[in-house]
Amino acid sequence: TLPTPTPTLPPAAGQASVKFQMGQTKEALKLYREVFHALPTPPAAVRLGLAFCFAKLGQSDLARRALERTLALQEDNVEALTALAVIKLNEDKVKEALPLLERAYNLEPSHPATLNQLANHFFYKADHHRVQTLAKRAYLASASPAIRAEAGYHMGRSFHAQGDHSSALQWYTQSGKERPEYSAPLFGLGQMHMSHGDHNKAVLYFERALKHAPESVETLRVLGHLYAETGKRAQALQHLTRATELAPDDVGSWLEMA
């Protein structure tokens, strides 16, 4: 019996991947949909690309379905396992996410995205040795600025939590160099300067963090607090009001306003 020929992917598949890497997610999604029209049963890689687009656009239900279909076609797809685990973690379904990450790790122990997610998990377990081991491996194993930035952030906040401010500063700064628009290390640097009493520097970092993540309730709240402390009452009220609009149940923001 002759083997079933592998269908040739339309050029739109490659173009979609390039668009996604360039941050043009909506254009990438449109191209992936063109692939589906041309090839109704595309390989798992196309469904994975579609899932990444949906996830980036905040359409987690569609992303989940695309990832599940990817895994139905290719059960050992490490990227799909890791991405599905991230969705589960974001939904606080830790018990469902961990087996996916363990499976991904067993399949490919050096996959940077999997290592980053495991580092994130162990941070909340306060297992800083594992956090730093996994995150450093992710950092060294990847050429992707986004993955290296995330790994650097995990390193920074782990050292920060341990009180090693010198190492935390080094890794937060490195994370920001890898991906300047990444708000998490900027927030971490703001926290460090705030704890050292340098509120002016803290404000600068929190403002930069807010620029890249304008709906971060935590950043809005802490900036509101700092503005109030430095007599900038109008700015404080503006930021705290926005925080309560985004999260009406956030007690911290209401207390700061009071």
Side-chain angles (χ1 to χ4, degrees), residues 48-79:
L48 183 63
L50 198 65
F52 286 159
C53 288
F54 286 137
K56 194 80 171 176
L57 294 169
Q59 299 175 15
S60 58
D61 188 52
L62 290 173
R64 185 194 305 105
R65 281 192 276 169
L67 289 167
E68 287 170 348
R69 181 61 181 144
T70 301
L71 290 167
L73 293 169
Q74 189 179 18
E75 62 181 15
D76 60 351
N77 189 305
V78 172
E79 289 188 336

Side-chain angles (χ1 to χ4, degrees), residues 21-194:
Q21 295 299 328
M22 292 171 64
Q24 298 174 16
T25 311
K26 289 182 179 179
E27 291 86 343
L29 181 59
K30 184 179 177 183
L31 288 163
Y32 277 125
R33 282 176 166 156
E34 285 182 20
V35 176
F36 269 84
H37 285 303
L39 197 66
T41 54
V46 174
R47 293 185 183 275
L48 183 63
L50 198 65
F52 286 159
C53 288
F54 286 137
K56 194 80 171 176
L57 294 169
Q59 299 175 15
S60 58
D61 188 52
L62 290 173
R64 185 194 305 105
R65 281 192 276 169
L67 289 167
E68 287 170 348
R69 181 61 181 144
T70 301
L71 290 167
L73 293 169
Q74 189 179 18
E75 62 181 15
D76 60 351
N77 189 305
V78 172
E79 289 188 336
L81 287 165
T82 303
L84 186 57
V86 171
I87 290 175
K88 300 283 188 185
L89 288 169
N90 289 340
E91 296 170 345
D92 291 326
K93 296 177 180 176
V94 179
K95 288 183 179 179
E96 293 179 28
L98 284 182
L100 295 168
L101 285 176
E102 287 172 8
R103 191 166 151 210
Y105 182 80
N106 289 334
L107 285 165
E108 194 175 338
S110 61
H111 195 286
T114 308
L115 293 171
N116 266 339
Q117 291 309 315
L118 286 168
N120 183 57
H121 168 69
F122 284 115
F123 176 81
Y124 291 106
K125 295 284 187 182
D127 189 339
H128 294 291
H129 174 71
R130 285 192 183 179
V131 174
Q132 291 160 23
T133 300
L134 291 161
K136 194 165 187 180
R137 281 174 58 195
Y139 185 87
L140 295 172
S142 180
S144 161
I147 285 180
R148 286 167 67 89
E150 185 182 349
Y153 169 66
H154 290 316
M155 293 288 288
R157 70 171 178 169
S158 178
F159 283 120
H160 193 169
Q162 290 182 299
D164 183 346
H165 286 194
S166 174
S167 297
L169 180 65
Q170 175 191 339
W171 280 103
Y172 280 147
T173 303
Q174 187 60 36
S175 174
K177 286 179 181 176
E178 294 286 349
R179 188 179 164 209
E181 72 276 16
Y182 188 27
S183 64
L186 295 170
F187 188 89
L189 287 165
Q191 285 180 310
M192 289 188 66
H193 288 296
M194 188 175 172

